[in-house]
Structures are given as C-alpha cells and as structure tokens.
Amino acid sequence: MRTHTRRSTRSRPRRRDPHGRVRAGARLRLPAHAATAGLVAVLAVLTVFSVTAAVTNARAASDAEQSALVSEWSEQAERSLVRQVDLVDDLALEPDEELRAEYDEASAATRAAIEEMGAVAGADEEIAVREWLRLHTRYEFAVEQLLSATATSPGIAETYEDVYVDPHHDALEALIRDEAKQHWDRANESLAFVGDVQQVLLVATPVVFGAGLAVVAWFAAILTRSRRETVAQAEANRQQALHDALTGLPNRTLLRQRGEVALAGAESGSVALMLIDLDRFKEVNDTLGHAYGDVVLQAVADRLRATVRGSDTVARLGGDEFAILLPRVVDEEAARQLAGRALVAMEAPIEVDGVSLDIDASIGIAMAGVHGEDVETLLQSADIAMYSAKDRGLGVCVYDDALNDHSPERLGLLGQLRRAIDNGELVLHFQPKIALPGAQVCGVEALVRWQHPQRGLVPPGDFIPLAERTPLIRPLTRYVVDAALEQCARWRDAGRDLGVAVNISARNLLDEHFVDEVEELLEHWRLPASCLELEVTESAIMADPERARRILTRLAECGVTLSVDDFGAGYTSLAQLKDLPVRQLKIDRSFVAPMAADPSNAMIVRSVVELGHNLGLTTVAEGVEDQATCESLQAMGCDVAQGYYICRPMPADALEAWFDATVGLRV
C-alpha cells in the first residue's frame, strides 16, 4: 500500500510558486497524506480484525457461559433424578409419608432443572424440553406402578424397577447429558474459531503495521489480553462443567472421559473402577441438616484423595456416591487393598461444629475386561457389587455374575420351578371382566400361582421374572395356556360361555414355534380360537417389533384375540399400534386406579378410550377398585372393566359359584 502511494506521488507534477520554485508544503503534504492514508488503512484493518475478534470472543464467552449454565442445571437435574431413584428404592422397601414428601420435592426439582435448561438454551429448545418432561412424567408413572405393585408383592420390586422404571430413568438421564454435551461442543467450536482468528492476527500484524509501530503494539496487547481472558474464562467454565462444585472432584462426565482413555489399549484386569456409597449419610442430612452433610462430603473427598495415587481419579457422582478409577492396577487383590485403605481412611470420626460423626462406606469393585469392556458397564457392575457389599455387610465386594439379577435363593427357586411345571404345582386363578354398560360377564383372565410344597402359594412376581430370563418361559407359558384352555373347555361343556385371557412374554414373541403350540392346544381341547385371548405388553412388542408383528399376525390369522396389556406405560407409537393385528387395549392400572381422585389420570384414560375407539379397538380398564371409577369409565364409553371392585382373582370352583350367582341375579 505504501509503494502504491509513492508511485502516485511521483506521477503528479509538483506544485511551484510564481517564481518557479517547488513549494515545500507540497513536498511535506504528500508524504503526510501517505502517512495518514497508511494510518487510516492500518486503523481500518485493525478495526476489521478487532471487530472480528470481539464478535468471536463475545460469542465464545456467551456460548461458554450458556454451556456452564446448561451444565449446572443438567447436574442439578441429574442430582435430583438420582435422589428420586434413591427415594424410590426406600419407598419400595418401606412406604413412608416423609420419604414420599422428599420424593415429591426431588421430582419437582428435577422438572424445574429441566425447564431451566430449556430456558438457558433458548426458545428453540421448547420441543426438546416438552419431550424431557414427558419422559419424566412416564418415569413418574412407572414409579407409581412400582410402588403400587410392591405394596402387594414386595418381591417384584427389583425386577419391576429393572424392566419398567429404569428404562424411563436411563432415557431421561441420557437426554439431559446429551444436551449439556451439545452445548459444550458448541462452545469449544467457538473457542477454536477464536484461536484461528488470533493466529491470523499474530501473522498479519507485523506485515500490516510494521516494526515498531506503536498502534500495532497497543492493539496487539489489547487483543492478546482479550484472548487470554477468553481462554481463561473458557478454562474456568470447562473446569466448572467437569468438576463437582462442592468437593472440587471430577464429576461423572470427567470420570467417563478418563475411563475411556484408560481403557483404550489396556490389558484385561489392568484397570479397576470402584463405586463408593456412604452408609448412614441420610441420617446426617435428616438429623443435622444439609450444611453438616456438605462438610462430611468434603471431608470424605479429602480423605479419598489422600488415599489414592497421583495417577488415580477420585470422582463424586452425586449425592453420597463416589468413584475411584485405577488406570493401572496389578490385579484384583491390589484393587481390594486400595479399597481397604479407603475404608480405613473413613473410619476416623468427622468433626463438624463440635459434633463427632461416624461415617462408614460400602465399596463395589469391577475389573476391566473381566466385568465389563466399557465405562458404563463397569459402573453398572461396580454398582451391583457395592449394593451386595452393603446388603451383606462386607465393606468391599468384587463383582461376580452370581450377584447380578438373582440371589442364591432365587436361583434355587428357579431350579424348583422346573420341577413344579413337571409336577403340576402351578395353579390358575381367574379374574372376571364385565362389559360396560350392563355389567355382563364377558370373559376371565387366567393368572398363574405356584402352590409350593414348603412355601405355600407363591405369587407370580416371585417366579415369572426369573423364568422370563431363561428358556424356562416356554414350557411355563405352554403349561398356563394348556391349563387355561382345559378349564375353558370344562366351562363350555357345563354351559358357561367364558373366554379366557392369558399373558405372554417377550420371549414368546421371539419363538417361531409358539403359534404352532397354540394351534395344537386349541385343537387338543376342541376349542375355537375365539375362546382364547393373548395379552402382550408394549415392552414385549418393542423388544423386536418386526418379529413380534410377524408372530402376532399369525396368531390373529388363526382367530386368536390379541390385546395390548398395560397400555400407556410403554413406548408403542401410534404408527406401530395401527399396524398391529390387535383387537383390544388394556389401559394400565396406574392410570385407572387413581382416576377418581386425579383429574389428570382421568384425562389420560379418556384419551386412551377415544384413541382405541378411533382405531376400531375394544378398550379394557384394569385396576377398577370402586364404584365411582366404574361409573366414570362407563360415562367415558370404556367397553370392559376389570378389578377388585368387580371380583378378585379366585380358583376355578369359586369363580363358577360367583358366575352362577351373578348370572342368576341378572335373570
């Protein structure tokens, strides 16, 4: 640019005074103009660079700040959701009004945090927030089902939670984490762009402004300081997003990142993950308050940090749950020894404002390559081991496959179940269904019970979930269908026209021989297929939708009536539902039972009834407990009702007496 200016100056004639002399002002003015033009050009370039840097810095700072806020609310949502999970476990074991109030408070906190995440992220997140809130509502419904089920059958709590509650929780937790990650990715992209701009500035500045130009130095200093401040702020935000605010320990996100690095190329058994849960910590919070609990958590964090090596990672996962990642460990015994040192470190009382608090802990250990190949699986395995240590009072427990799903008692029960099927120890109880209006008996549902020689009548929740995880579900289902059809044939011979419904599992919908077995049994008892109704849950259909549709279509072509059980508690989409050859929707009892006192549940039931009718399906409400509910269902147009208000499940002879009396009264 300066060269171009000099050429322009030489090409113009110099101004002269009347006597022919060159005017000095002309000689000075042109270089001055050139200098001014150069300075203006410099300032213009500086302005462009400065504006670009300022905008990108502002965007990066804004994205980083927004990401920090989203991360903060994400962590709050995760903490309150974890709190809900802990309280659900406690409520399932022992219902309590105070625990219920805490659960409701944690639920409200979860929803508030989700809404705040959406508010920080902007208006374009409204659809996502509504989806998260719907997932949370489904989780709440699943929890209510769990609490309702465990109130009558405590033994099904763990299985019910694994199958119905945890999927809702895991889906919501994954969405919350993904949202926070997306915002951090956006912030990192902005910071990377800032870095690119700064690199251009560093190269272009000497060329544009020249050596020793004060303006360049001044603006370079400003830009350098701005970049340093942006990077420092971004690092501070990153630190906040990856660390626990109370203890300063790495959080779950950073633990996963370091775990993935440690697992990359690691030999089997050379990486260990420990999960630590404090015992009696809830008593400290409930008795002394959260301020004391915070001090305890900070003290535990300090003691754990002092126990491990510099290469190890101590993390706080939330609440009173900590983790230790050992990226280099000799063997399982070495991990046990470190866990033992951690327990010893926590033995000393913790002094808080003159109060001496004793805190114990339970530790579960999982070894990479032995108990899991990725961080998530190792966390799950360590969690199972930790709860086993807590339940058995061991202090430290290493994961073992025997700890997962089945206790030794349940494993023994599974072996006895095989003999029970062969020995005919399983019996059926029947619960009638009535048509609305008119209360005409229109069929019964067969419910299996186990008449155990030593334990007496064993409820289905104690043995069906065990069978569903093994090939034993196939002979068990055949046994129940066979017994139900046999009873149906006897009733028809005696003049009682009662169809029978039987529940089937996801494994039955994966069995290509199941349809042949059903046809064989119908032919054996000389019954039309219309006498049999098969009920299948939404979750069973979703296990393998394509194969389930194929099996259900074959059953429907045989003339068997098909019903979707517990509708509303699963994930069946309308697109899938309209393509399934089902005839009935059974509305989940978690919506029906409380509908008389809860308008929102009544609205859900009404919507399902209308949906079913619009699809040409019969709607069945299960869990009808009182007259008011029955009358409301009739007013809504629900087709069939089932529940304790109508009749409890009973053996076949008792049901016959009830049926004959009911029919006789109508006549």
Side-chain angles (χ1 to χ4, degrees):
M1 186 174 293
R2 289 195 294 269
T3 303
H4 175 72
T5 303
R6 286 196 293 270
R7 285 179 180 174
S8 298
T9 301
R10 288 197 298 269
S11 64
R12 296 176 182 176
R14 295 183 179 182
R15 296 183 182 182
R16 297 177 180 270
D17 63 14
H19 301 284
R21 293 173 299 187
V22 178
R23 296 168 56 184
R27 290 196 305 268
L28 297 176
R29 190 178 297 116
L30 289 177
H33 285 318
T36 301
L39 181 57
V40 169
V42 166
L43 293 177
V45 174
L46 174 61
T47 300
V48 172
F49 283 148
S50 298
V51 169
T52 301
V55 170
T56 53
N57 287 348
R59 186 182 71 176
S62 175
D63 286 349
E65 181 179 1
Q66 185 186 69
S67 299
L69 288 174
V70 171
S71 178
E72 178 180 348
W73 285 114
S74 169
E75 290 185 5
Q76 175 60 38
E78 284 194 56
R79 286 196 296 270
S80 54
L81 193 59
V82 168
R83 182 62 177 156
Q84 281 187 259
V85 173
D86 292 339
L87 290 169
V88 167
D89 292 340
D90 295 338
L91 285 168
L93 294 175
E94 184 178 358
D96 179 83
E97 291 184 1
E98 292 184 2
L99 288 177
R100 181 63 195 211
E102 289 186 36
Y103 172 81
D104 292 339
E105 181 181 354
S107 173
T110 301
R111 296 183 71 86
I114 290 173
E115 292 171 349
E116 289 293 342
M117 284 178 66
V120 171
D124 57 340
E125 294 293 324
E126 289 181 0
I127 296 177
V129 169
R130 286 199 298 270
E131 178 60 25
W132 301 338
L133 292 175
R134 280 197 295 271
L135 279 175
H136 187 257
T137 299
R138 290 179 179 177
Y139 172 71
E140 295 283 352
F141 286 144
V143 167
E144 293 300 332
Q145 283 186 271
L146 171 64
L147 298 180
S148 174
T150 53
T152 56
S153 302
I156 71 172
E158 180 180 354
T159 300
Y160 208 110
E161 186 173 7
D162 288 345
V163 176
Y164 294 98
V165 179
D166 287 349
H168 298 284
H169 166 270
D170 295 342
L172 180 58
E173 184 182 52
L175 284 176
I176 291 173
R177 290 175 182 164
D178 185 62
E179 181 67 9
K181 181 179 182 300
Q182 288 181 16
H183 281 273
W184 272 116
D185 290 343
R186 194 181 307 160
N188 287 333
E189 289 175 3
S190 297
L191 290 175
F193 185 66
V194 170
D196 293 340
V197 171
Q198 300 302 328
Q199 289 298 324
V200 172
L201 286 173
L202 291 176
V203 173
T205 297
V207 176
V208 175
F209 300 108
L213 194 62
V215 175
V216 173
W218 181 49
F219 277 102
I222 292 176
L223 292 173
T224 301
R225 184 171 67 251
S226 175
R227 182 176 184 274
R228 288 174 179 170
E229 290 174 354
T230 301
V231 172
Q233 182 62 45
E235 180 60 28
N237 291 337
R238 179 179 176 277
Q239 178 78 7
Q240 182 180 3
L242 297 177
H243 289 77
D244 174 53
L246 178 64
T247 62
L249 293 176
N251 60 15
R252 188 184 294 268
T253 301
L254 184 53
L255 177 70
R256 281 197 175 95
Q257 293 177 1
R258 293 184 179 178
E260 291 170 357
V261 172
L263 291 174
E267 296 181 1
S268 178
S270 64
V271 177
L273 185 63
M274 295 191 290
L275 210 61
I276 304 169
D277 188 77
L278 303 184
D279 300 333
R280 300 193 304 276
F281 178 75
K282 183 177 181 297
E283 298 175 11
V284 175
N285 273 342
D286 293 346
T287 305
L288 302 175
H290 291 282
Y292 281 75
D294 289 348
V295 175
V296 169
L297 292 174
Q298 290 169 336
V300 169
D302 292 339
R303 293 181 182 185
L304 291 177
R305 259 190 297 242
T307 302
V308 302
R309 304 163 300 182
S311 59
D312 302 332
T313 296
V314 179
R316 182 186 175 210
L317 305 186
D320 59 343
E321 193 173 49
F322 295 82
I324 299 178
L325 173 68
L326 307 178
R328 294 190 303 276
V329 64
V330 176
D331 52 23
E332 179 183 305
E333 183 57 32
R336 278 183 178 273
Q337 291 177 4
L338 191 144
R341 293 198 298 272
L343 288 180
V344 171
M346 287 185 282
E347 286 180 354
I350 298 174
E351 300 290 337
V352 186
D353 290 342
V355 179
S356 182
L357 302 174
D358 292 318
I359 300 293
D360 296 326
S362 300
I363 301 179
I365 302 175
M367 305 297 295
V370 182
H371 308 137
E373 302 293 338
D374 54 72
V375 177
E376 194 61 38
T377 304
L378 289 175
L379 280 171
Q380 294 173 2
S381 298
D383 186 63
I384 292 171
M386 182 268 292
Y387 276 107
S388 178
K390 186 183 293 289
D391 292 341
R392 296 155 63 185
L394 298 177
V396 177
C397 181
V398 178
Y399 175 80
D400 185 270
D401 289 337
L403 302 176
N404 197 2
D405 293 332
H406 306 303
S407 65
E409 180 183 1
R410 289 192 173 186
L411 289 171
L413 195 65
L414 189 62
Q416 297 173 31
L417 180 58
R418 293 185 176 90
R419 293 190 295 272
I421 295 174
D422 296 334
N423 298 336
E425 295 175 8
L426 302 181
V427 297
L428 298 187
H429 286 193
F430 300 90
Q431 186 174 37
K433 299 182 285 186
I434 62 170
L436 299 175
Q440 179 70 38
V441 180
C442 59
V444 298
E445 180 178 358
L447 303 167
V448 66
R449 306 287 188 267
W450 181 1
Q451 191 63 53
H452 195 281
Q454 288 79 40
R455 300 177 55 172
L457 200 63
V458 180
D462 286 359
F463 63 90
I464 288 182
L466 298 178
E468 286 181 325
R469 297 169 185 168
T470 70
L472 193 61
I473 191 62
R474 180 177 177 180
L476 175 59
T477 303
R478 181 185 176 90
Y479 181 105
V480 174
V481 174
D482 184 37
L485 292 178
E486 179 184 7
Q487 186 59 59
C488 182
R490 290 179 179 175
W491 283 334
R492 286 173 64 88
D493 292 341
R496 301 182 182 92
D497 189 11
L498 289 172
V500 62
V502 176
N503 289 279
I504 60 175
S505 75
R507 278 183 174 265
N508 297 128
L509 294 183
L510 302 178
D511 183 1
E512 297 290 349
H513 301 289
F514 179 64
V515 180
D516 297 332
E517 290 184 348
V518 170
E519 290 181 313
E520 174 190 333
L521 293 174
L522 285 168
E523 183 179 357
H524 175 76
W525 295 110
R526 299 179 181 177
L527 289 172
S530 58
C531 290
L532 177 62
E533 176 186 331
L534 296 178
E535 299 181 0
V536 57
T537 62
E538 293 181 89
S539 58
I541 295 172
M542 293 305 296
D544 189 338
E546 289 303 321
R547 182 178 292 188
R549 183 180 294 107
R550 186 168 64 250
I551 299 296
L552 292 174
T553 299
R554 289 184 59 196
L555 288 169
E557 290 172 349
C558 295
V560 174
T561 300
L562 300 175
S563 175
V564 177
D565 197 14
D566 298 336
F567 184 76
Y571 297 98
T572 306
S573 69
L574 295 181
Q576 292 166 328
L577 181 62
K578 70 180 180 63
D579 293 334
L580 292 174
V582 298
R583 297 271 300 278
Q584 290 186 354
L585 290 184
K586 292 194 74 174
I587 308 170
D588 189 71
R589 67 178 63 250
S590 65
F591 303 127
V592 176
M595 61 178 283
D598 187 345
S600 62
N601 280 297
M603 185 179 299
I604 292 173
V605 173
R606 181 184 299 276
S607 299
V608 175
V609 170
E610 293 175 354
L611 169 65
H613 289 170
N614 290 336
L615 294 174
L617 304 177
T618 301
T619 55
V620 182
E622 54 182 347
V624 180
E625 309 293 340
D626 51 54
Q627 182 177 354
T629 301
C630 192
E631 292 174 351
S632 296
L633 289 168
Q634 182 170 323
M636 292 176 183
C638 185
D639 302 300
V640 178
Q642 177 183 352
Y644 283 4
Y645 171 69
I646 298 158
C647 184
R648 290 175 175 269
M650 60 184 71
D653 54 353
L655 180 75
E656 291 169 3
W658 178 89
F659 176 77
D660 294 342
T662 301
V663 173
L665 288 175
R666 296 189 187 288
V667 175

